[in-house]
Amino acid sequence: FFRSYFVISRPPTRMAEMPPVKTIVAAVIFVAVGAYLLIAQPHFEASERPDWMGYAVCMVIVGAVMLMIHNFSAAFCMVGINIAFVLLGIIKPDEFFQGFASHAVIATGTLCVFADAVFQTSILDVVMGPLLPTRAPLWEARLRVMCMGFLFSTFLNNTPVLAILLPVTESYCARASLPLRSMLMPLTFSIYFGANNSLIAHSSNLTTLQVTKDLVGAAYGTPEWKAPNFFSPLLIGFPIGVCGLAFMTFFTTTLLPSNEPGKAASFASKSRALDLELDDDQDDVLDIPDAAECLQVPGQPMLSYGYEYLVTFKPIRPLIGTYFHESGLDKKDSTITLKSVITQTPQGPVTLYSKKEWDKHVILSDDLLIFSCTAVGVANLRKRRGIQLKNDNVDGLGAERRLRCLMEAVVGPSSCWVGENVTSSEMQATFAGKAAIIAVRQVGHETSVVSKRKQQDATPGSPLMRRGSRGSLRGSATSEDMEAARNVTVEREFRIDFGSLLLLEAYPNFAKTAPKSHIPMVSTVPASKPPRWYTTKDKFRMLAVGIVLCSVILFAAANILPLTISGFLAIFFMVWLKVLTPGEAIGAIEGPTLLIIASSGGVGKAIQHTGLGEWLGDRFVEMSFNSFPGLLIWFFILMSLLGCFLNNNAQVVLVMPIAYSAAQKVGVSFRPFMYLCMMMTTISSFTIPISRATNMMIVNRGPYSFADFATYGYALQLFMMPIFLGLLYVFEKHSLWDYFNEVCAPYGSLC
């Protein structure tokens, strides 16, 4: 009885939640390092300072690594490390602030602006289009895409390059019926490989250069220790890049099978899964316009009754004259679905509703494409080359497209529109030219197309009035209907209720200046600036950006002008051409990256001053049995592990001082370790999706899981390891650095 009483009356205990894996890993590392320091009690004999400073530097750095594993900002942690060292008297304030005046910081800032300018003009998209045939086999298509990423990332940062190439690759895969899983991860990794070909390709390359300059000191740039030139990394980066591309070309299909049933991304959100589940029911919810309505009022917004907006696009070059199944426009995803195609025939307009109908259709210039899209889907759809949004309201806003973006607005209960039929021009007048209506989303069941002059003559049976009946939408308009429509000026009316959603293109300050009595809530759609490749001015800006970028690279490589000076001149030129606004140029600068580069000097000096770097170097020398190949292997493993959790610039700052001390102990040049640290910041990004922002950009698009990254990434790393380390060993043992310096001497900095 007592046993049963206590069992029943005992309150239910909540099972303790298991700490996250990264917390367990961080705690184990911290305890292990702390225990080793306390039990083994190493002495930092190389330092003239008290031993406690060495312990303090070690524990502060390990603590910062733990914070970075827990997704704390790497820039915040690196600045915090320097402040702690200054407060402890380990470094002087001047040693910390010296990094903010380095050329690497300024050069990295200018490169961020270049990358944003290239992204704004979509010049890479124009270059890639003719080089991607639709009838190429899978391995050839993959190789073509990877070569593009490998080439472009030699001169631009990897994030904007991937942001530009992602929609291009997705559209190409849709046109050629290629699996995205077999394309996106190889594309991303080829961009990482391309970053090893020049000094400006990635911010970590410039960070490596700055840390090397601090470590080598006065000898840097002298004949004893010749400074790397613009394309010096190409000696190692190009061979390993070619080997990596070859591996991904022939082994991706085996390691990343694209026909696995039920494959889902590890980061797929519940909302996206719900969208996919409800996708088959969209036809029952959306009121699809017929040919009569779309041709009577072309370029007018349309009303949607479902979760998504209905928008109209028109085809432009290069899609005009191609078969529809080659365009990839009918590929369905969670944000974009093609609903119908309206085309002109000798008998009149005809609406094509199914894939069987439009697959054999040749795209014409006067076709209308009706899409069902979310707000983000509209933004992505506008970035596809070959189609253009058809909307009279947006065209009426005039120039300065670069300043506008998409916004969603909710109609409030106090609006005089609620319960009324309102035309788009009436709503436009309320916005005073600061916003244009693209689409309307409503939960009601009624909309109409009426003539402002003959509104009283409109009847439910006429082609100028449309109710929400599905049956009335199928079929084509008669010639009498079309003739009647030509004789009147028509405009859509929308039944507006409380909670109706408006999709707008507006200027950035519209979110603050919008009429709150009508739309109290306004939100900006991310990355939704309109494309800039239609007009003659857009094409001129593309050409200008290409010339400016090539000039900056040539001047920096030929040592005609420093990258900092030529970079600033190019930025002023692009602002003058209105490629970027001054605010956009400043906003493109990656502040956290610059803080990490600026903080690198203080961390390196603290590690050197206290003897910590020399002591850790001794440990690595002991583990490698005092051999140069052993050291290369250990530092490859160390960088590969740190790359799973740390920012690439933070890896360089923390590991290079240790590698410098180890190289001195073994009696070899520091140059192979400099290139090892420089290139491992990208190679170490292969194995885990959360290690880099570029990996996260493709996770749900593939989709890919943790296992996909681990399998594919570690296989690629193991394949690259003997090639990469073998090249470094051969270059050092046979003094190929000096040989290539002599060969390139007549060509100056270009070689």
Side-chain angles (χ1 to χ4, degrees):
F1 171 79
F2 284 105
R3 185 182 297 111
S4 62
Y5 171 79
F6 282 114
V7 170
I8 296 175
S9 62
R10 184 183 302 157
T13 58
R14 182 180 180 181
M15 183 177 294
E17 294 183 359
M18 186 71 176
V21 175
K22 59 185 179 183
T23 303
I24 298 175
V25 172
V28 169
I29 295 176
F30 191 84
V31 171
V33 173
Y36 183 79
L37 290 175
L38 294 176
I39 297 173
Q41 294 184 355
H43 297 283
F44 303 102
E45 299 174 355
S47 173
E48 298 178 357
R49 307 189 180 197
D51 283 353
W52 69 267
M53 286 191 175
Y55 292 114
V57 170
C58 187
M59 296 308 296
V60 168
I61 291 177
V62 172
V65 171
M66 302 303 104
L67 291 176
M68 284 186 274
I69 290 177
H70 281 76
N71 298 328
F72 274 72
S73 169
F76 171 82
C77 293
M78 296 303 297
V79 173
I81 289 174
N82 281 273
I83 293 175
F85 292 161
V86 170
L87 294 176
L88 293 173
I90 298 174
I91 61 174
K92 298 178 181 179
D94 290 343
E95 293 176 317
F96 170 38
F97 293 118
Q98 276 178 352
F100 288 87
S102 67
H103 289 278
V105 173
I106 302 174
T108 303
T110 58
L111 293 176
C112 294
V113 180
F114 293 158
D116 191 60
V118 172
F119 178 77
Q120 294 279 3
T121 56
S122 302
I123 187 173
L124 299 187
D125 192 359
V126 176
V127 174
M128 283 191 65
L131 302 177
L132 299 176
T134 57
R135 299 187 182 277
L138 178 58
W139 69 269
E140 181 184 341
R142 185 187 303 123
L143 181 60
R144 285 175 178 269
V145 170
M146 289 191 301
C147 287
M148 297 295 174
F150 185 72
L151 174 63
F152 295 144
S153 61
T154 300
F155 308 103
L156 296 170
N157 194 14
N158 51 23
T159 303
V161 171
L162 183 60
I164 295 170
L165 298 186
L166 264 180
V168 178
T169 305
E170 289 179 329
S171 178
Y172 175 50
C173 290
R175 294 198 314 269
S177 300
L178 300 173
L180 270 178
R181 274 177 55 81
S182 296
M183 301 291 282
L184 294 187
M185 192 179 290
L187 169 64
T188 305
F189 291 175
S190 67
I191 291 174
Y192 291 151
F193 280 123
N196 297 327
N197 290 335
S198 69
L199 291 179
I200 68 167
H202 200 270
S203 61
S204 59
N205 297 358
L206 294 173
T207 305
T208 303
L209 212 60
Q210 181 63 35
V211 175
T212 302
K213 189 175 182 179
D214 294 335
L215 293 173
V216 176
Y220 184 84
T222 63
E224 298 178 1
W225 215 101
K226 185 174 174 60
N229 291 326
F230 190 89
F231 287 113
S232 293
L234 197 70
L235 292 173
I236 304 295
F238 185 77
I240 65 174
V242 170
C243 294
L245 295 186
F247 177 88
M248 292 188 289
T249 299
F250 298 108
F251 292 98
T252 296
T253 306
T254 303
L255 296 173
L256 288 176
S258 57
N259 56 350
E260 295 184 21
K263 192 71 176 179
S266 56
F267 294 101
S269 62
K270 293 182 179 179
S271 61
R272 179 177 182 273
L274 183 60
D275 289 343
L276 293 176
E277 290 176 5
L278 297 178
D279 192 35
D280 293 337
D281 297 328
Q282 289 295 320
D283 287 340
D284 298 331
V285 181
L286 296 178
D287 198 0
I288 310 301
D290 60 356
E293 180 176 351
C294 291
L295 291 175
Q296 288 165 12
V297 282
Q300 289 279 331
M302 292 185 294
L303 186 71
S304 168
Y305 299 143
Y307 173 73
E308 300 170 331
Y309 299 97
L310 288 176
V311 290
T312 305
F313 281 78
K314 65 177 182 180
I316 58 175
R317 294 186 180 278
L319 286 187
I320 295 176
T322 62
Y323 282 99
F324 205 92
H325 69 273
E326 297 177 351
S327 67
L329 296 176
D330 57 340
K331 185 181 179 184
K332 185 184 300 183
D333 61 24
S334 60
T335 62
I336 302 171
T337 303
L338 178 65
K339 289 299 181 181
S340 64
V341 178
I342 301 175
T343 183
Q344 286 282 7
T345 66
Q347 293 75 29
V350 174
T351 304
L352 310 178
Y353 288 101
S354 65
K355 183 178 177 63
K356 293 181 180 179
E357 292 178 316
W358 63 55
D359 261 0
K360 297 180 181 180
H361 173 63
V362 177
I363 299 176
L364 305 175
S365 59
D366 55 356
D367 286 351
L368 294 179
L369 313 175
I370 312 300
F371 288 92
S372 170
C373 309
T374 64
V376 175
V378 175
N380 293 333
L381 195 58
R382 296 178 75 181
K383 297 175 184 177
R384 293 192 183 183
R385 291 190 61 80
I387 57 174
Q388 182 179 358
L389 181 68
K390 188 173 180 59
N391 188 283
D392 297 336
N393 298 332
V394 173
D395 296 339
L397 287 179
E400 297 186 335
R401 287 169 299 150
R402 61 198 175 103
L403 302 179
R404 303 197 295 257
C405 60
L406 295 184
M407 296 185 182
E408 284 189 290
V410 181
V411 177
S414 61
S415 174
C416 61
W417 299 339
V418 174
E420 301 291 336
N421 290 338
V422 186
T423 65
S424 60
S425 60
E426 292 171 346
M427 289 186 274
Q428 293 285 115
T430 305
F431 300 149
K434 299 297 182 181
I437 295 178
I438 294 178
V440 181
R441 197 168 82 195
Q442 178 60 282
V443 294
H445 299 285
E446 182 175 300
T447 184
S448 61
V449 181
V450 301
S451 167
K452 297 299 290 183
R453 292 181 299 173
K454 296 189 177 183
Q455 181 175 353
Q456 67 277 9
D457 298 332
T459 62
S462 73
L464 301 180
M465 175 73 75
R466 178 170 63 89
R467 301 291 176 182
S469 170
R470 166 67 55 182
S472 63
L473 300 179
R474 303 301 182 185
S476 304
T478 64
S479 58
E480 292 80 5
D481 293 337
M482 297 306 301
E483 184 64 28
R486 293 190 190 99
N487 297 327
V488 295
T489 302
V490 293
E491 186 176 7
R492 280 196 178 89
E493 277 192 349
F494 302 98
R495 175 74 178 183
I496 302 298
D497 293 320
F498 168 50
S500 297
L501 283 179
L502 311 180
L503 181 63
L504 311 171
E505 180 172 312
Y507 292 92
N509 60 349
F510 182 76
K512 298 179 180 179
T513 62
K516 301 303 180 183
S517 60
H518 292 288
I519 45 175
M521 296 178 60
V522 181
S523 63
T524 302
V525 180
S528 60
K529 287 188 176 182
R532 300 173 65 191
W533 56 53
Y534 302 132
T535 66
T536 303
K537 289 183 179 180
D538 293 337
K539 297 175 182 178
F540 172 74
R541 291 190 184 101
M542 285 185 191
L543 179 62
V545 168
I547 294 174
V548 169
L549 182 61
C550 294
S551 301
V552 169
I553 294 171
L554 179 62
F555 289 165
N559 207 19
I560 299 174
L561 280 176
L563 183 60
T564 51
I565 302 300
S566 60
F568 274 116
L569 291 175
I571 291 173
F572 286 131
F573 186 66
M574 287 187 290
V575 171
W576 178 70
L577 286 175
K578 296 185 179 181
V579 176
L580 298 170
T581 64
E584 288 173 334
I586 295 174
I589 298 174
E590 298 179 2
T593 300
L594 303 188
L595 282 177
I596 294 174
I597 298 175
S599 304
S600 61
V603 177
K605 287 181 175 63
I607 292 175
Q608 285 184 303
H609 289 344
T610 59
L612 175 63
E614 188 167 346
W615 175 73
L616 290 174
D618 289 340
R619 305 287 81 77
F620 275 95
V621 170
E622 292 173 1
M623 290 188 295
S624 63
F625 301 102
N626 204 32
S627 68
F628 175 47
L631 269 184
L632 291 176
I633 293 173
W634 275 113
F635 277 104
F636 184 97
I637 296 173
L638 175 64
M639 293 289 288
S640 179
L641 294 176
L642 290 179
C644 296
F645 306 102
L646 297 187
N647 176 279
N648 42 27
N649 292 288
Q651 286 179 260
V652 170
V653 173
L654 297 178
V655 175
M656 284 191 69
I658 303 172
Y660 181 74
S661 298
Q664 288 184 320
K665 290 287 182 179
V666 177
V668 296
S669 170
F670 176 58
R671 194 176 296 273
F673 293 95
M674 178 192 72
Y675 285 116
L676 175 67
C677 293
M678 178 188 295
M679 298 179 185
M680 277 305 297
T681 58
T682 55
I683 296 177
S684 63
S685 307
F686 295 163
T687 55
I688 187 170
I690 62 174
S691 61
R692 298 292 180 267
T694 42
N695 290 352
M696 294 297 296
M697 291 169 66
I698 66 170
V699 165
N700 284 336
R701 294 173 182 261
Y704 301 107
S705 64
F706 264 99
D708 292 329
F709 273 89
T711 302
Y712 194 73
Y714 278 118
L716 184 56
Q717 277 193 6
L718 291 175
F719 174 78
M720 298 304 305
M721 183 177 178
I723 301 172
F724 182 28
L725 301 185
L727 280 173
L728 294 175
Y729 180 83
V730 170
F731 265 74
E732 177 62 23
K733 284 300 181 181
H734 296 279
S735 301
L736 293 183
W737 314 112
D738 298 331
Y739 169 76
F740 280 103
N741 283 333
E742 294 176 1
V743 171
C744 294
Y747 305 98
S749 301
L750 283 173
C751 187

